[in-house]
Amino acid sequence: MYPKMTVYLNRIEDTARYVCELAAENGVRITGVVKSSDNYSNSYKAIAEAMKRGGVASLADSRMKTIERMRELGVEDHILLLRIPQMWELPKVVEFADASLQSDPGTLAALEEEAAAQEKTHGVILMTDLGDLREGIFDPDVFHETAVWIERELPHLHLLGIGTNLGCYGSIVPDVTNLSLLVERARAIEKSIGRKLEIVSGGGTSTLPMLLDRTLPEGINHLRVGEGILLGRDLVTIWKLPFDGLRMDTYVVEAQIVEIEEKPSYPIGRIFVDAFGNTPEYIDSGMRMKAIVAIGKRDIGSHDALFPIDETIKVLGGSSDHLILDITDCKVPMSVGDIVAFLPNYQALVNCIESSDVTILHHFD
Ligand SMILES: *Cc1c(COP(=O)(O)O)cnc(C)c1O
């Protein structure tokens, strides 16, 4: 069945190993973020296991539903909940996750009660906001006091450490200035509580460049990495960094050709708006041989999120259900019914997983 997306688990394992080794050289441990796995198969477990073979220290996801599913599938590793939890899900947080990111005192108090009720100890990484303006306590004094309060007053919570999030809402680049501040805050908390914190968590994939150029401040010892392990395309093509161990072919998307026709390259009639209310630019390059494949924005988000493996094929555009290709320069003869293979970017990968129409296959070797 098509469209189809194949997940190459051994390639994910290879990238995980590369990222974990690079991290280890910098004194950093990696938690593998399994977000972007589908709900319908045993994807989470397969990806979690590939990441573990590659050397991640533990696992994480942003959704409680995913973590619950991983437990159902028999994943027994340490799992961290990434999204600061909703009040109603706290019983599940304590039951299924070993630790969570936190920033709200009210939630922490309720979490303490829940952990006490379940007779468990739950790990907490307290988040501080260093300027990206998503989650985390902004005021440094309030942050410090909250950490000390968890340590002294909440016996069923274990303050594992502190963390921050960058490059999300505010598009802020992790750098020596903001991450040194995180280390400073960790050292001050350690002084107040009289012990070392196990974790000082300096972000996710967007912090990886600091491992490459060895600028990560000493004291940052943990990163939560998803995209960098699952699909290195953006790091390689947008950031243009020499991550020679990252791969772009961990996922391959295939779609079937439903029409081949020679057509003009410039639309005929009065140009107004396309199916999404936009007016793209069209270039007149005469008659071209075009193929339509049965995959669209509903599956991949945007037509420029897929890259044909055969580079003589060009993606011209698309709509909800169709992707239009220029195959004029393609050396291989093509006909309706043939399959075209693409490498997705991260956006397309996430969309394919969410699309109920895309069949997902796991490839083990
Ligand atoms: C998703 C997420 C990550 C991982 O982000 P990547 O860019 O995929 O590495 C890390 N931390 C938090 C809080 C997240 O939600």
Side-chain angles (χ1 to χ4, degrees):
M1 275 200 301
Y2 296 93
K4 185 166 96 180
M5 182 165 73
T6 307
V7 190
Y8 287 87
L9 294 163
N10 61 327
R11 300 179 190 173
I12 290 177
E13 176 186 336
D14 287 346
T15 355
R17 186 170 297 110
Y18 168 76
V19 169
C20 289
E21 283 172 3
L22 186 63
E25 289 165 20
N26 287 266
V28 168
R29 299 208 306 164
I30 299 290
T31 287
V33 176
V34 301
K35 271 178 206 174
S36 336
S37 310
D38 71 291
N39 250 319
Y40 309 102
S41 63
N42 67 350
S43 192
Y44 297 128
K45 191 174 182 204
I47 288 178
E49 280 172 356
M51 286 181 165
K52 274 163 49 188
R53 285 194 302 274
V56 302
S58 61
L59 302 169
D61 195 84
S62 53
R63 303 283 168 126
M64 236 7 269
K65 209 167 83 183
T66 311
I67 294 177
E68 195 173 341
R69 180 86 184 113
M70 284 205 286
R71 294 298 189 213
E72 275 170 23
L73 292 168
V75 176
E76 287 175 357
D77 306 77
H78 190 279
I79 303 183
L80 169 70
L81 172 66
L82 293 170
R83 184 168 67 185
I84 46 175
Q86 307 165 69
M87 286 278 191
W88 70 265
E89 59 188 358
L90 294 181
K92 283 181 185 291
V93 175
V94 172
E95 186 177 353
F96 299 112
D98 298 290
S100 52
L101 304 183
Q102 298 287 343
S103 67
D104 180 74
T107 304
L108 282 161
L111 189 66
E112 161 65 26
E113 263 186 47
E114 187 56 45
Q118 292 189 32
E119 297 176 4
K120 278 184 157 180
T121 305
H122 183 80
V124 166
I125 297 179
L126 190 65
M127 298 297 277
T128 187
D129 187 342
L130 298 174
D132 198 62
L133 310 184
R134 202 177 73 180
E135 77 274 48
I137 300 176
F138 187 74
D139 183 284
D141 296 328
V142 175
F143 176 67
H144 184 97
E145 285 154 21
T146 308
V148 174
W149 172 67
I150 297 170
E151 176 76 3
R152 294 197 182 138
E153 311 287 338
L154 307 181
H156 296 86
L157 302 186
H158 172 60
L159 182 67
L160 270 175
I162 66 168
T164 196
N165 204 68
L166 294 156
C168 277
Y169 171 72
S171 320
I172 296 302
V173 180
D175 60 19
V176 175
T177 311
N178 49 39
L179 288 182
S180 296
L181 213 53
L182 186 68
V183 177
E184 231 170 79
R185 288 181 191 179
R187 295 294 100 92
I189 291 165
E190 287 172 344
K191 218 169 151 210
S192 296
I193 64 174
R195 68 170 176 91
K196 294 283 282 176
L197 293 171
E198 286 113 291
I199 288 177
V200 183
S201 189
T205 297
S206 61
T207 306
L208 292 180
M210 298 183 82
L211 298 179
L212 208 56
D213 61 14
R214 316 272 156 180
T215 52
L216 192 73
E218 201 184 321
I220 303 287
N221 64 9
H222 178 261
L223 296 176
R224 319 169 296 268
V225 181
E227 182 179 348
I229 291 175
L230 293 174
L231 183 63
R233 170 174 281 276
D234 289 355
L235 283 160
V236 175
T237 62
I238 300 180
W239 300 15
K240 305 212 178 342
L241 291 168
F243 282 110
D244 49 20
L246 296 187
R247 299 184 68 140
M248 300 203 256
D249 60 354
T250 41
Y251 292 77
V252 174
V253 175
E254 290 169 291
Q256 189 163 41
I257 299 178
V258 290
E259 179 188 293
I260 295 183
E261 283 254 353
E262 192 175 38
K263 292 188 187 183
S265 37
Y266 200 80
I268 297 154
R270 187 169 72 92
I271 288 184
F272 183 40
V273 291
D274 70 6
F276 294 89
N278 307 310
T279 306
E281 285 218 7
Y282 302 95
I283 294 160
D284 191 354
S285 43
M287 295 295 281
R288 305 292 290 176
M289 193 57 78
K290 297 189 193 175
I292 298 178
V293 288
I295 191 167
K297 290 189 193 181
R298 280 169 58 186
D299 312 296
I300 56 175
S302 161
H303 68 269
D304 49 18
L306 285 188
F307 304 85
I309 291 180
D310 179 341
E311 289 175 0
T312 64
I313 300 174
K314 260 183 56 195
V315 177
L316 294 171
S319 54
S320 299
D321 303 306
H322 304 84
L323 192 66
I324 303 166
L325 309 175
D326 185 329
I327 58 167
T328 316
D329 301 329
C330 188
K331 302 282 177 286
V332 199
M334 282 204 213
S335 40
V336 168
D338 286 351
I339 305 302
V340 183
F342 304 86
L343 297 179
N345 69 7
Y346 193 64
Q347 178 198 6
L349 153 63
V350 172
N351 273 277
C352 279
I353 283 160
E354 300 300 329
S355 166
S356 53
D357 230 32
V358 178
T359 304
I360 297 182
L361 282 183
H362 294 94
H363 197 277
F364 287 87
D365 52 52

